[in-house]
């Protein structure tokens, strides 16, 4: 009986390790007093720049078979990010954490295919070459994301409040 319990514990531990190996897209980083997330800034193509008072801006993250460019992008609340697949393989951008996609507030892979699908940080499907997905970020923080089909491809969106 003792051997059975030990074997069962080892199997469960192995499964947990396998599921979490390399899974460093655990969600958000801590924010400081003004709501700015910690992390490096990135640049994105598109109109405008983060931090301006000229209204919402749109930024583009290019998807290739080797990952996201830029991998990190700093924006303001209300800004839009477009993920455009320029790679040969399908790519499914979604909020951390793989496989549930629940870290960004209100997001959950279980909402794909429902009336709530347009309000979650989840493309809800693999994007073919030339397709894109757009999401408006309203929540301040550092939001990690990944490719649901290739979970080792990751990036983050840093949403910082505009400080005057």
């Amino acid at each position: 009986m003792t051997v059975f319990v030990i074997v069962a514990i080892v199997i469960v531990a192995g499964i947990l390790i396998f599921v979490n190996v390399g899974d460093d897209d655990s969600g958000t980083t801590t924010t400081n007093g003004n709501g700015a997330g910690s992390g490096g800034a990135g640049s994105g193509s598109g109109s405008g720049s983060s931090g301006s008072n000229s209204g919402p801006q749109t930024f583009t993250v290019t998807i290739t078979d080797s990952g996201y460019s830029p991998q990190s992008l700093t924006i303001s609340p209300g800004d839009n990010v477009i993920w455009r697949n320029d790679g040969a393989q399908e790519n499914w951008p979604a909020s951390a954490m793989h496989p549930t996609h629940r870290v960004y507030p209100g997001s959950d892979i279980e909402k794909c295919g429902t009336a709530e699908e347009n309000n979650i940080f989840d493309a809800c499907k693999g994007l073919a070459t030339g397709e894109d997905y757009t999401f408006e970020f309203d929540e301040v923080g550092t939001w990690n994301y990944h490719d649901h089909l290739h979970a080792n491809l990751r990036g983050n969106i840093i949403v910082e409040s505009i400080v005057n």
Side-chain angles (χ1 to χ4, degrees):
M1 182 68 172
T2 303
V3 172
F4 176 75
V5 170
I6 292 172
V7 169
I9 291 172
V10 169
I11 290 172
V12 169
I15 291 170
L16 290 174
I17 290 170
F18 176 76
V19 168
N20 289 311
V21 158
D23 197 0
D24 191 25
D25 68 343
S26 59
T28 63
T29 58
T30 306
T31 58
N32 62 25
N34 68 4
S38 61
S43 63
S45 61
S47 60
S49 62
S50 181
S52 70
N53 288 324
S54 61
Q57 305 295 312
T58 299
F59 298 87
T60 300
V61 174
T62 302
I63 305 167
T64 66
D65 293 337
S66 60
Y68 299 104
S69 179
Q71 191 171 13
S72 182
L73 177 64
T74 301
I75 65 173
S76 297
D79 287 348
N80 290 287
V81 177
I82 300 170
W83 282 264
R84 179 160 298 122
N85 189 2
D86 287 345
Q89 61 188 5
E90 285 192 341
N91 186 284
W92 178 335
S95 174
M97 174 139 200
H98 184 71
T100 60
H101 311 173
R102 292 182 181 152
V103 173
Y104 190 84
S107 292
D108 187 334
I109 194 170
E110 293 180 5
K111 293 181 179 178
C112 290
T114 71
E116 296 178 86
E117 180 175 318
N118 291 332
N119 300 318
I120 61 174
F121 179 18
D122 194 324
C124 291
K125 68 172 193 150
L127 303 176
T129 302
E131 281 191 299
D132 59 50
Y133 162 71
T134 304
F135 184 74
E136 180 181 315
F137 286 86
D138 295 319
E139 300 289 332
V140 171
T142 298
W143 305 107
N144 294 330
Y145 65 91
H146 68 287
D147 174 358
H148 181 70
L149 302 174
H150 312 96
N152 60 317
L153 300 180
R154 301 184 180 146
N156 67 47
I157 304 297
I158 303 162
V159 184
E160 295 182 342
S161 293
I162 298 171
V163 180
N164 293 326

